[in-house]
């Protein structure tokens, strides 16, 4: 290529076109360039990496805004170009195109640039992400969701790059990733401390937390930043475990609690040895919630799963793991022993599940019509079981 800088200028100009039908055409070109071992190292290409980082980040924000506007059928003037809308049969079809095609390509470009220059990329993207998690921006749901998505992509990419470099003995890449880690702790605290009022946004926030394993690997736990971030994550998860048993938002709050325990389990699988450094305090925190009557049985079960996943993955001897698991497993064993009499016959088992009470409520007409068919099928199955 005689004048690559002209081609790069053309790609940047097309990328900034407000029409997705135009800008999407060059996303494939950028993907090819940043994944090519030679093209991605050209001075003309590396010179625009900072601008390309800004473009992809802002483009992801814009795509999420447009998708949200289309989802709620709100005013899309200034967000979506009419010529784009005309190319699709419906707003729903256009929204699928934005989320499954445009956004996916943009996030992949973010990952690829992060792989090329980890430290440089983090330096470029942090100023774009940090302001999103400010208190005054808490109502901008679509942009916040996009930022969570980018944080997850960046941190998982850095973690994968470091683990791959360590396994292959590539000290140069490992050193670059370590250099990129330090400034990410500020981003980690911003994400964890961000206060969202919408339960669905809290769920998205909790889903991002496992990607922080990159910042919490055992080798990083000597730093005050890593220990402080780990404690902040645990406190964030613990604060979302309780919820009322009834009320208008009980379903959403139940989902938040489930995502919180799911984040803990994923962290236990990813960084068991880091969590074992504070196991005494962690065990006390878990046990206090298991003993709390305001915490549902489902959440308590997931907390036990978290503890067992942590113990199973820890670099401890079998005897040590057995000793740690004993107080977690024994209450479960005791509970099963208490249930044994009810498992001796189908009738007692059905009574244990409370199905006769459901039958009675059904006979009295206090069961909503939408689940009557389910109860009829269950009654038929129980009759077959009794035979």
């Amino acid at each position: 290529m005689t004048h690559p800088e002209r081609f790069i200028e053309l790609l940047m100009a097309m990328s900034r076109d407000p029409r997705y039908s135009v800008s999407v055409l060059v996303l494939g070109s950028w993907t090819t360039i940043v994944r090519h071992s030679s093209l991605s190292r050209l001075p003309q290409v590396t010179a625009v990496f900072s601008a390309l980082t800004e473009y992809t980040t802002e483009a992801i924000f814009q795509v999420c805004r447009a998708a949200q506007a289309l989802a709620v059928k709100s005013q899309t003037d200034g967000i979506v170009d009419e010529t784009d809308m005309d190319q699709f049969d419906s707003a729903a079809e256009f929204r699928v195109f934005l989320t499954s095609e445009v956004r996916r390509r943009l996030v992949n470009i973010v990952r690829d640039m992060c792989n090329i220059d980890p430290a440089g990329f983090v330096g470029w993207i942090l100023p774009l992400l940090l302001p999103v998690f400010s208190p005054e921006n808490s109502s901008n749901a679509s942009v916040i969701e996009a930022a969570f998505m980018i944080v997850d992509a960046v941190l998982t990419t850095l973690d994968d790059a470091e683990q791959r470099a360590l396994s292959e003995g590539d000290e140069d890449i490992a050193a670059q990733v370590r250099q990129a880690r330090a400034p990410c702790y500020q981003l980690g605290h911003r994400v964890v401390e961000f206060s969202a009022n919408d339960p669905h946004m809290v769920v998205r926030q909790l889903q991002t937390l496992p990607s922080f394993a990159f910042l919490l690997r055992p080798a990083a736990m000597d730093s005050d930043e890593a220990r402080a971030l780990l404690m902040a994550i645990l406190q964030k998860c613990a604060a979302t475990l309780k919820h009322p048993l009834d009320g208008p938002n009980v379903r959403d709050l139940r989902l938040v609690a489930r995502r919180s325990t799911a984040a803990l389990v994923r962290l236990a699988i990813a960084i068991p040895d880091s969590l074992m450094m504070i196991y005494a305090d962690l065990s006390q925190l878990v046990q206090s919630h298991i003993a709390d009557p305001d915490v549902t049985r489902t959440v308590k079960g997931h907390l036990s799963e978290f503890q067992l996943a942590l113990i199973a993955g820890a670099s401890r001897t079998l005897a040590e793991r057995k000793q740690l698991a004993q107080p977690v497993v024994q209450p479960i064993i005791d509970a099963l022993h208490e249930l044994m009499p009810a498992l001796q016959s189908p009738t007692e088992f059905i009574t244990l599940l409370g199905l006769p009470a459901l039958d009675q409520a059904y006979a009295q007409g206090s069961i909503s019509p939408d689940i009557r068919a389910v109860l009829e099928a269950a009654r038929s199955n129980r009759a077959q079981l009794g035979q």
Side-chain angles (χ1 to χ4, degrees):
M1 187 181 296
T2 308
H3 298 288
E5 65 278 0
R6 295 180 181 176
F7 179 65
I8 297 300
E9 289 175 4
L10 174 63
L11 289 182
M12 289 300 299
M14 292 181 66
S15 299
R16 295 190 175 99
D17 194 292
R19 295 165 296 178
Y20 291 109
S21 55
V22 175
S23 61
V24 74
L25 297 176
V26 301
L27 294 182
S29 299
W30 281 123
T31 300
T32 300
I33 290 171
V34 296
R35 291 183 178 179
H36 196 281
S37 58
S38 299
L39 291 177
S40 62
R41 306 295 176 180
L42 289 175
Q44 296 88 344
V45 173
T46 57
V48 300
F49 271 179
S50 176
L52 184 58
T53 300
E54 181 178 357
Y55 156 69
T56 51
T57 304
E58 293 296 337
I60 293 172
F61 292 163
Q62 181 67 14
V63 166
C64 288
R65 276 195 294 261
Q68 174 65 17
L70 292 168
V72 299
K73 298 180 175 59
S74 64
Q75 181 60 254
T76 58
D77 291 347
I79 301 178
V80 176
D81 193 279
E82 289 300 324
T83 57
D84 284 332
M85 290 286 293
D86 294 340
Q87 298 185 43
F88 295 88
D89 294 334
S90 65
E93 184 180 333
F94 184 33
R95 182 173 180 270
V96 170
F97 167 73
L98 291 177
T99 55
S100 64
E101 186 67 21
V102 181
R103 188 174 67 185
R104 178 183 59 82
R105 291 191 181 190
L106 288 167
V107 172
N108 285 339
I109 292 173
V110 165
R111 293 181 183 276
D112 292 331
M113 287 194 296
C114 186
N115 270 320
I116 294 172
D117 184 2
F121 181 78
V122 168
W124 297 323
I125 203 167
L126 280 187
L128 303 172
L129 291 178
L130 290 175
V132 176
F133 299 109
S134 59
E136 57 270 18
N137 202 39
S138 59
S139 61
N140 200 342
S142 59
V143 173
I144 295 167
E145 181 179 1
F148 284 141
M149 185 186 312
I150 296 171
V151 169
D152 185 87
V154 171
L155 294 183
T156 54
T157 300
L158 290 172
D159 194 39
D160 290 344
E162 183 177 48
Q163 299 307 309
R164 186 169 58 251
L166 293 175
S167 64
E168 297 175 356
D170 192 335
E171 183 54 35
D172 289 340
I173 294 297
Q176 291 181 45
V177 176
R178 283 195 297 271
Q179 186 180 354
R181 176 183 280 115
C184 286
Y185 286 107
Q186 183 183 7
L187 177 63
H189 279 287
R190 284 287 185 93
V191 172
V192 176
E193 294 166 5
F194 181 76
S195 179
N197 297 323
D198 181 5
H200 296 288
M201 194 57 58
V202 177
V203 166
R204 190 65 188 89
Q205 181 182 26
L206 292 169
Q207 290 174 328
T208 307
L209 299 184
S211 66
F212 289 9
F214 166 66
L215 303 173
L216 304 171
R217 295 289 177 185
M221 289 304 293
D222 289 337
S223 70
D224 293 337
E225 293 92 341
R227 291 193 295 270
L229 179 60
L230 178 57
M231 293 307 300
I233 291 173
L234 295 176
Q235 291 167 2
K236 179 71 175 182
C237 291
T240 61
L241 294 177
K242 296 182 184 180
H243 61 80
L245 297 179
D246 53 20
N249 297 324
V250 64
R251 181 173 297 181
D252 291 337
L253 296 176
R254 187 185 300 125
L255 179 61
V256 168
R258 179 67 190 98
R259 289 295 177 266
S260 180
T261 54
L264 289 173
V265 171
R266 289 180 61 188
L267 285 170
I269 294 171
I271 52 167
D273 291 332
S274 297
L275 290 168
M276 287 303 294
M277 296 178 184
I278 57 169
Y279 184 76
D281 294 335
L282 193 57
S283 179
Q284 183 178 0
L285 177 66
V286 170
Q287 293 306 315
S288 67
H289 280 80
I290 290 178
D292 192 328
D294 293 332
V295 177
T296 65
R297 288 187 178 183
T298 302
V299 171
K300 292 177 182 180
H302 293 316
L303 288 175
S304 296
E305 179 188 355
F306 160 63
Q307 252 186 306
L308 291 174
L310 171 56
I311 295 168
S315 299
R316 300 295 179 92
T317 65
L318 180 59
E320 289 174 327
R321 291 203 297 270
K322 182 178 179 181
Q323 182 180 6
L324 291 170
Q326 181 65 26
V328 182
V329 174
Q330 193 59 51
I332 301 174
I333 295 175
D334 293 341
L336 289 175
H337 279 304
E338 293 177 2
L339 293 177
M340 285 302 295
L343 302 180
Q344 301 303 313
S345 73
T347 301
E348 293 181 6
F349 181 62
I350 289 168
T351 301
L352 174 70
L353 297 181
L355 295 181
L358 277 177
D359 278 342
Q360 183 178 2
Y362 172 72
Q364 295 173 351
S366 57
I367 296 294
S368 58
D370 57 337
I371 65 171
R372 288 185 180 180
V374 177
L375 288 177
E376 288 289 355
R379 179 180 295 175
S380 175
N381 292 336
R382 296 202 302 276
Q384 294 180 5
L385 183 64
Q387 296 173 358

